[in-house]
Amino acid sequence: MNARLALAAGVLSSFVWSAPALAETTTVDLISPSHCTMGNGRLSRCSIPTQTLTATDFATAVPLRTILRRVMTGNCSTQFPLEVTLTPPGTPATRYTFMSTPEVTLRDLDRELIASLELKDSSAWTGTAAFADTCRVSLSITWNEVDVDNATQAQDILQALQAALTTKTTQRDHLASLVEYSAAFDFMKTLANSFLVDLTNETAHALHVQGQEAAPIIFKAAMGCAGVLNDEEAGILANFYFVLGSLSDPTKYHHPDGSPKTLEELIGPEALPVIQKLSALSAAGAKEQYQAQYQVAAQEAAAAQAKLDLARAQLAPWVTP
């Protein structure tokens, strides 16, 4: 994640200028008495020193461009194609024939902020050319202005950032659900295993067998014990008989050899995918893993929101009615 974006939420509160205010301008002399020899009404033997020009760094959520404009006054007539080479860090150099080209636009490879430029004379004719002593040539550098020309371009940027925020928010919410589900499913797995133990232990198996053996006798007693049980007692015994059925056949919980069935066997093969998902969600360390992933996703969602908010501030001149 871009370090600038990680700080964008804090930066935004103090960084709410409009887009034009974000840009700053630097002026660099190219042809002037400070770089040339003056004599007999002429400027000659000019030399443009290699130098590194720097701009103010700031957080940005939108594409930026840096524009260099030639500023010329006086009589600067010459036949020589003077030029300088401009090289931002990590970006290919741009050769700028400034005497014949009014301006040039520079962009970082990712259209991000250009923090500095190396300016270097790349013409073999600079020391040969001569100018009237009224000639002045400089570069006006407008650093890192928003690279947008109309409302449509601004809206496209905001829509893309909104889509990115939606994706990050969905990922965050999904992981938040996994954290909750993991805790809930861990409880469910513990509860299911506890019931399984209770249903398949030796005592339960013995009760299942005894219940199956006693059921016919209890039914007979409830239906035909005239003179032994009154009607109310016979009804209670009949109800007991039907409740006894809940113990079920012992083979429901045990194999023929008496060994207990597994939870998967009790629930049935159609439930196996659910059991596998349950096991994965409640596996050892799963909840901690989901929590760690959630923290990262939450930070990314917050950064995406901060980036969108910052972009809205930077693009306000194009999208504000």
Side-chain angles (χ1 to χ4, degrees):
M1 179 168 48
N2 190 314
R4 291 182 186 139
L5 292 183
L7 298 173
V11 171
L12 183 60
S13 62
S14 60
F15 197 85
V16 293
W17 309 329
S18 65
L22 293 174
E24 60 181 326
T25 300
T26 299
T27 299
V28 181
D29 281 345
L30 298 180
I31 305 298
S32 70
S34 62
H35 294 319
C36 305
T37 299
M38 181 178 289
N40 299 319
R42 306 287 288 173
L43 291 176
S44 61
R45 296 194 295 275
C46 297
S47 176
I48 302 173
T50 299
Q51 53 193 298
T52 298
L53 310 171
T54 59
T56 301
D57 196 1
F58 58 84
T60 181
V62 300
L64 301 175
R65 64 192 176 203
T66 292
I67 299 179
L68 294 89
R69 296 178 176 87
R70 178 206 65 210
V71 179
M72 184 184 300
T73 60
N75 179 7
C76 294
S77 177
T78 181
Q79 59 181 328
F80 297 109
L82 304 187
E83 69 173 30
V84 291
T85 296
L86 305 155
T87 310
T91 301
T94 298
R95 299 171 71 95
Y96 179 29
T97 308
F98 59 87
M99 295 302 292
S100 58
T101 305
E103 69 177 51
V104 65
T105 299
L106 301 182
R107 292 180 175 87
D108 175 79
L109 290 177
D110 297 318
R111 298 175 72 189
E112 294 186 353
L113 180 140
I114 294 176
S116 64
L117 281 174
E118 182 192 64
L119 184 148
K120 183 177 182 179
D121 187 359
S122 53
S123 173
W125 307 104
T126 306
T128 303
F131 307 89
D133 61 6
T134 59
C135 178
R136 302 289 185 272
V137 182
S138 63
L139 288 183
S140 177
I141 305 173
T142 302
W143 295 90
N144 300 307
E145 68 176 26
V146 175
D147 195 6
V148 163
D149 296 314
N150 53 59
T152 299
Q153 293 175 353
Q155 288 291 355
D156 288 344
I157 292 171
L158 292 177
Q159 288 175 5
L161 293 175
Q162 180 63 63
L165 172 60
T166 299
T167 298
K168 294 296 184 183
T169 301
T170 300
Q171 293 170 344
R172 179 202 63 193
D173 293 346
H174 173 68
L175 286 165
S177 296
L178 286 179
V179 172
E180 295 176 351
Y181 294 161
S182 179
F185 288 162
D186 186 51
F187 165 75
M188 289 175 63
K189 183 178 181 180
T190 301
L191 183 64
N193 287 333
S194 177
F195 281 141
L196 179 63
V197 170
D198 291 339
L199 290 171
T200 59
N201 62 26
E202 292 182 1
T203 300
H205 182 258
L207 289 174
H208 295 156
V209 173
Q210 293 171 18
Q212 190 175 37
E213 293 173 349
I217 300 172
I218 294 175
F219 179 77
K220 183 177 180 181
M223 297 297 106
C225 291
V228 177
L229 300 175
N230 58 37
D231 291 344
E232 182 179 356
E233 291 170 337
I236 293 173
L237 189 61
N239 289 335
F240 178 71
Y241 166 77
F242 290 114
V243 171
L244 188 65
S246 63
L247 285 174
S248 186
D249 188 331
T251 60
K252 179 177 180 179
Y253 303 103
H254 294 79
H255 297 115
D257 63 359
S259 60
K261 291 183 178 181
T262 65
L263 183 62
E264 289 82 355
E265 289 174 320
L266 288 175
I267 295 178
E270 67 278 358
L272 185 58
V274 177
I275 295 297
Q276 291 174 336
K277 185 66 175 179
L278 175 65
S279 298
L281 289 170
S282 59
K287 182 179 179 181
E288 290 74 14
Q289 178 183 349
Y290 296 144
Q291 286 176 327
Q293 292 174 341
Y294 168 77
Q295 293 298 326
V296 173
Q299 291 175 359
E300 291 180 348
Q305 180 65 67
K307 186 173 183 179
L308 178 59
D309 293 341
L310 183 56
R312 286 172 175 156
Q314 290 180 275
L315 296 173
W318 289 273
V319 298
T320 301

